[in-house]
Amino acid sequence: MTNVIDESGILAISTRLQRLSDQLRKDGLLIYKANGIEFEPKWFPVVYTLHLKPVLSVVEIAGEIGYSHPSTISLLKELEKQKLIRSKKDKTDERKRLIQLTEKGKALINDMQPVWNKMIIALTALTDTKNNLMKAIEEVEQQMKSFSFFERAQQL
Amino acid sequence: MTNVIDESGILAISTRLQRLSDQLRKDGLLIYKANGIEFEPKWFPVVYTLHLKPVLSVVEIAGEIGYSHPSTISLLKELEKQKLIRSKKDKTDERKRLIQLTEKGKALINDMQPVWNKMIIALTALTDTKNNLMKAIEEVEQQMKSFSFFERAQQL
DNA sequence: TTTATTTATGTAATTAACTACGTAGTTTTG
DNA sequence: CAAAACTACGTAGTTAATTACATAAATAAA
């Protein structure tokens, strides 16, 4: 811990969060690879969403994963190239593209289950410290919902 | 809380961290603006580092803030364009560029102090919940140092 | 039933980080 | 002390997200 940012305290919290996120994502990729799974961590939100809700439009997926719709479209393009998802027009609303997992996609999820389980165990061990990271995130999001960082700072 | 990602638990922790980081950074920008300060949150690590250690080379700054040196160079270019920093060649080592704050940079830091204080208060209030976010981050980084996410998952 | 508004999707340009590579000094080694 | 290895910096290209804009279909309103 010799560096300034680690010592600059809470002002650098955004940087710290991002760094932690990146590290976890990088390790995630390594874990999939080491287990012979061809899957990128950034695909997880879309694939997991379609696993739980099998047929959704582009905007619905974007809403579920909390990304903008253009970001979602580009993820969907990658997943389509991998043949993990496919899409069809909604017959009752011609604007909508309905997305679903392909058989290959469903099979991959099946193969990934044991890896996801390992990840859950490892992440739980990693974050189950005196101050639980997942709970801390949830608590802060809750706090922000009632009163954002901006509002709090302006009120002073 | 209707969306899937918020409910998918710890597997989506990297996405959650990133989202929180983005939100805080966006609000940070708004706070600077609302206080009449022309400053971008992404400059904070470099500027704060130079505030504490007044003369550093490019690679030293990169090390302090935990970024790659090309990322650091591009931040330095922006700060130089804003005339907040300047650089000179190290006479004992011709490869090195030594960076320092300009008078304008130092004055800006002075003007920002009250804003930083507001931010510290707001962030502290926001994150001082049952599970303290800053402490949680530090604890997880400590955990990862002895035994990474990848290592933990592979060992199972 | 036109017209206006909203919604769904898509494209283009931008941003903020990265890795990979190249070059020029500096240091180490045979 | 010449060659090899290392270090510092810079550029180019990539990535994963964004915002802004455009278009077409559906819905609401005049």
Side-chain angles (χ1 to χ4, degrees):
Chain A
M1 265 258 209
T2 57
N3 79 49
V4 169
I5 289 310
D6 286 347
E7 287 161 2
S8 73
I10 204 157
L11 277 177
I13 196 169
S14 170
T15 301
R16 300 285 295 274
L17 288 167
Q18 204 187 314
R19 223 157 72 184
L20 193 49
S21 167
D22 284 355
Q23 266 179 288
L24 291 174
R25 182 163 293 192
K26 269 180 202 158
D27 271 22
L29 182 61
L30 290 180
I31 294 167
Y32 285 123
K33 276 210 178 118
N35 286 272
I37 304 280
E38 244 185 85
F39 191 75
E40 298 190 23
K42 66 174 165 172
W43 296 339
F44 176 80
V46 170
V47 167
Y48 190 78
T49 296
L50 288 170
H51 177 50
L52 296 193
K53 303 192 174 179
V55 184
L56 292 173
S57 74
V58 174
V59 168
E60 283 165 349
I61 294 173
E64 292 286 346
I65 69 178
Y67 283 11
S68 67
H69 83 271
S71 310
T72 305
I73 287 171
S74 92
L75 288 172
L76 292 173
K77 270 184 190 158
E78 290 181 35
L79 289 168
E80 206 147 21
K81 200 188 253 172
Q82 301 290 322
K83 307 228 184 278
L84 296 174
I85 61 156
R86 66 196 153 84
S87 62
K88 59 174 188 214
K89 266 222 150 54
D90 183 337
K91 271 161 200 160
T92 70
D93 185 341
E94 289 282 317
R95 295 169 306 177
K96 282 189 184 170
R97 233 176 92 201
L98 297 178
I99 315 292
Q100 355 177 216
L101 292 165
T102 58
E103 285 313 309
K104 186 184 169 192
K106 288 177 196 165
L108 179 62
I109 288 177
N110 235 45
D111 295 346
M112 279 193 289
Q113 285 298 352
V115 182
W116 285 353
N117 287 335
K118 281 190 200 179
M119 287 182 173
I120 290 170
I121 292 169
L123 285 171
T124 302
L126 207 54
T127 60
D128 181 27
T129 51
K130 246 172 84 197
N131 295 272
N132 184 287
L133 182 62
M134 265 313 281
K135 286 184 187 152
I137 293 171
E138 273 157 18
E139 286 162 6
V140 171
E141 284 182 347
Q142 205 51 46
Q143 292 271 94
M144 286 174 41
K145 211 172 275 177
S146 58
F147 207 11
S148 75
F149 174 32
F150 175 72
E151 289 163 344
R152 283 167 201 265
Q154 280 322 97
Q155 198 218 228
L156 294 172
Chain B
M1 266 256 212
T2 57
N3 79 49
V4 168
I5 290 309
D6 287 346
E7 286 161 2
S8 74
I10 203 156
L11 276 178
I13 197 168
S14 168
T15 301
R16 299 286 293 276
L17 288 168
Q18 204 187 315
R19 224 158 71 185
L20 193 49
S21 166
D22 285 355
Q23 267 178 285
L24 291 174
R25 181 163 294 193
K26 269 180 201 156
D27 272 22
L29 183 61
L30 290 179
I31 294 167
Y32 285 123
K33 276 209 177 117
N35 286 273
I37 304 280
E38 245 185 84
F39 191 76
E40 298 190 24
K42 67 174 162 171
W43 297 338
F44 175 79
V46 170
V47 167
Y48 190 77
T49 297
L50 288 171
H51 177 49
L52 295 195
K53 304 193 176 179
V55 183
L56 291 174
S57 74
V58 174
V59 168
E60 282 165 350
I61 294 172
E64 291 288 344
I65 69 178
Y67 282 11
S68 68
H69 84 270
S71 311
T72 305
I73 286 170
S74 93
L75 289 172
L76 291 174
K77 271 184 189 157
E78 290 181 35
L79 289 168
E80 206 147 20
K81 201 188 252 170
Q82 301 290 321
K83 306 229 184 278
L84 296 175
I85 61 157
R86 66 196 153 83
S87 62
K88 58 175 190 216
K89 266 224 147 53
D90 184 337
K91 273 161 198 159
T92 70
D93 186 341
E94 289 282 317
R95 295 168 306 177
K96 283 189 184 169
R97 232 176 92 202
L98 297 178
I99 315 292
Q100 351 177 218
L101 292 166
T102 59
E103 286 313 309
K104 186 184 169 193
K106 289 178 196 165
L108 180 62
I109 288 178
N110 235 45
D111 295 346
M112 279 193 289
Q113 284 299 352
V115 182
W116 284 354
N117 287 335
K118 281 190 200 177
M119 286 182 174
I120 289 171
I121 292 169
L123 286 171
T124 302
L126 207 55
T127 60
D128 182 28
T129 52
K130 246 173 82 198
N131 295 271
N132 184 286
L133 183 60
M134 266 310 283
K135 285 183 188 155
I137 293 171
E138 273 157 19
E139 286 162 6
V140 170
E141 283 182 348
Q142 206 50 48
Q143 292 272 92
M144 285 173 42
K145 212 172 274 178
S146 59
F147 208 9
S148 75
F149 175 32
F150 175 71
E151 288 164 343
R152 284 166 200 267
Q154 279 322 98
Q155 198 216 228
L156 295 170

